[in-house]
Amino acid sequence: MKKLRSEEYGGKGKLKEYHVEVLGKQGDRIPISLYASIIYEGGQEVGSIGFFHDMRLRLRLKKELDSAQSQLLQNEKMASLGKLAAGVAHQLNNPLGGIMLYSRLIQEEYELSDPAKADLSRILRDAERCRDTVKELLVFARQTRQEKQFHDINKALSRTLFLLEKQVLFQNILIETRLSADIPLVLGDIQQLNHVFMNIILNAAQAMDGRGKLTISTDLSPDGQKVIIEISDTGPGIPEDVLPHVFEPFYTTKEEGKGTGLGLSLAYGIVESHQGLIMVKNNPDQGSVFVIELPINPS
Ligand SMILES: Nc1ncnc2c1ncn2[C@@H]1O[C@H](COP(=O)(O)OP(=O)(O)O)[C@@H](O)[C@H]1O
Ligand SMILES: [Mg+2]
């Protein structure tokens, strides 16, 4: 009433768009926008009137709009980076092919001394590494053909784990799987999806430095339209300043030669081309969680 009587909130006897919180029955806080005024009769206050607007819906819509906008920006950024990467990859493909072809020819057609042989095979090995990177870039930019069929995601995950768990890096990692028996087949390019799973699982193992627990689960979304895959680790998690960048091409926190920074950008591109979503968050206790949502039947 003091504010209502003062001049400062829209004039004497008026309160305009005043924001308050009221407590709901369940103890929940409800944001309210209040308009009020005093009714005068002959200069005397005889009553007051107030309109309380529940702001929850408006605030929720605003939040959804904000997040849609930032998602749009992110998509835009990824698309232009992808185009750039694909351009570079195409430019590199031919000369790389030449380097590899001629190195092999020299290897086969000349009697080389041992040190020269060693040098040459080093050239070949490095050229092959470049070729692999270029290949990943092209997949990232979706310049390769997709072959979509219905696949069992649980099987794909099990197969990926089967390939990985024998590696030294996984020797001291406890793997827990909770694969739902109720998920339907998903229309997708299984080779590419395997690539996504492989990248995320490898990252997890690297983050844990070969020691910890890897948890993989699959579920059907509540609306029954999507398969949700969660891959979490007990590593150090992802620092707040790193989190917004992990899906960017060439972004890596690993030392040179260890990381290309392409794994997650690749995963992002593949999941997007399946009209799915890929997200990452830190586990409140420990480590990070990658969540992938794949629509069962993308249009
Ligand atoms: N499970 C994880 N835990 C902690 N950090 C991670 C995890 N997965 C990815 N990251 C971070 O994201 C960065 C980008 O990952 P990625 O695109 O796969 O590139 P790379 O593995 O070659 O560095 C990594 O360098 C790392 O900093
Ligand atoms: Mg990686």
Side-chain angles (χ1 to χ4, degrees):
M1 288 310 287
K2 212 194 265 165
K3 283 176 178 155
L4 200 48
R5 288 183 183 120
S6 81
E7 287 279 353
E8 282 127 66
Y9 299 86
K12 187 172 160 55
K14 285 183 207 149
L15 206 54
K16 253 175 127 180
E17 228 193 320
Y18 184 71
H19 291 280
V20 280
E21 269 188 344
V22 300
L23 227 45
K25 265 191 196 144
Q26 267 86 37
D28 45 329
R29 293 176 170 275
I30 303 169
I32 297 286
S33 165
L34 169 64
Y35 286 79
S37 70
I38 296 176
I39 304 166
Y40 296 98
E41 235 176 62
Q44 290 279 67
E45 285 180 18
V46 294
S48 62
I49 186 167
F51 295 94
F52 295 78
H53 295 275
D54 184 340
M55 298 291 283
R56 281 175 297 186
L57 181 66
R58 199 190 297 178
L59 290 176
R60 206 188 70 218
L61 287 178
K62 185 176 175 332
K63 212 166 124 197
E64 280 171 12
L65 193 68
D66 284 349
S67 100
Q69 266 166 351
S70 71
Q71 180 72 34
L72 215 61
L73 260 174
Q74 175 77 355
N75 285 350
E76 195 75 19
K77 185 158 98 184
M78 298 304 280
S80 49
L81 282 170
K83 278 198 197 104
L84 187 74
V88 174
H90 272 305
Q91 296 286 343
L92 288 179
N93 230 356
N94 286 341
L96 260 178
I99 292 172
M100 288 172 55
L101 177 69
Y102 287 103
S103 307
R104 287 209 188 96
L105 280 179
I106 295 173
Q107 249 181 354
E108 280 165 22
E109 297 194 350
Y110 296 87
E111 286 293 327
L112 295 176
S113 67
D114 281 346
K117 258 188 212 153
D119 289 352
L120 198 59
S121 59
R122 175 67 198 264
I123 291 175
L124 252 175
R125 216 170 46 238
D126 281 353
E128 274 162 11
R129 243 183 70 197
C130 294
R131 181 202 54 196
D132 291 344
T133 305
V134 164
K135 220 193 279 168
E136 293 207 338
L137 270 173
L138 288 174
V139 178
F140 164 69
R142 270 175 281 123
Q143 300 282 315
T144 50
R145 208 158 42 94
Q146 280 202 14
E147 296 191 13
K148 287 193 174 161
Q149 276 173 359
F150 283 99
H151 289 283
D152 183 339
I153 294 296
N154 287 342
K155 261 196 201 143
L157 283 165
S158 304
R159 223 176 290 133
T160 305
L161 278 176
F162 174 80
L163 287 175
L164 287 175
E165 67 193 355
K166 302 210 168 44
Q167 294 189 13
V168 188
L169 183 62
F170 285 80
Q171 227 96 98
N172 290 310
I173 290 178
L174 181 70
I175 301 175
E176 188 181 306
T177 50
R178 284 198 304 268
L179 306 179
S180 163
D182 303 324
I183 57 169
L185 302 179
V186 167
L187 186 67
D189 183 326
I190 204 64
Q191 233 122 39
Q192 293 196 341
L193 290 176
N194 280 337
H195 214 96
V196 172
F197 304 146
M198 176 96 71
N199 273 323
I200 292 174
I201 294 171
L202 258 179
N203 276 346
Q206 286 169 342
M208 295 190 283
D209 207 9
R211 204 169 287 273
K213 188 170 154 196
L214 175 77
T215 311
I216 300 178
S217 68
T218 54
D219 281 296
L220 189 62
S221 65
D223 65 4
Q225 298 300 311
K226 285 173 283 190
V227 166
I228 300 172
I229 303 138
E230 259 194 45
I231 300 175
S232 58
D233 62 63
T234 55
I238 304 176
E240 285 301 316
D241 57 324
V242 171
L243 213 49
H245 303 291
V246 294
F247 293 111
E248 287 171 13
F250 302 114
Y251 183 85
T252 180
T253 56
K254 293 167 193 171
E255 54 190 283
E256 236 186 279
K258 284 256 168 73
T260 57
L262 283 173
L264 286 180
S265 57
L266 199 65
Y268 186 97
I270 292 171
V271 171
E272 204 198 25
S273 76
H274 285 76
Q275 285 157 52
L277 277 177
I278 180 166
M279 291 158 288
V280 59
K281 57 188 180 209
N282 279 315
N283 207 331
D285 311 330
Q286 201 189 10
S288 46
V289 189
F290 281 84
V291 183
I292 303 165
E293 291 183 9
L294 293 175
I296 289 157
N297 204 344
S299 47

